[in-house]
Amino acid sequence: KILHNKPVYGKGSFELVSSNYVEIRLETVRLGNRVLKEEAVRIIEGELRNLINKTASKENGIEIEELSVKNGALVFKGTLPAEIKGR
């Protein structure tokens, strides 16, 4: 059965390594009510890390001073350009 239009949930952590590099560690990923296998989680983790770090490159004018979660909210301190272009 193919799952589509289902919510995706992830549990894990991240660490700001530099002003434009974030390390991501996923523990679990759920697609709807299905928990994905470890192999799929590692693939998603790598792709997500690549996407975030490519977007956060200096070429896009992004500088991250602080990136954290406090009281359930994402905290970002840094510089964002007026527009971010992806490929």
Side-chain angles (χ1 to χ4, degrees), residues 33-49:
N33 63 355
R34 295 178 187 226
V35 177
L36 300 184
K37 293 181 180 180
E38 180 73 18
E39 180 180 338
V41 172
R42 292 303 132 234
I43 292 169
I44 293 167
E45 179 183 74
E47 291 298 321
L48 183 60
R49 180 186 307 113

Side-chain angles (χ1 to χ4, degrees), residues 53-73:
N53 289 314
K54 186 174 183 179
T55 302
S57 71
K58 289 184 180 181
E59 294 171 5
N60 280 330
I62 297 173
E63 291 287 333
I64 306 169
E65 294 175 35
E66 179 185 355
L67 186 64
S68 61
V69 176
K70 294 181 182 169
N71 299 321

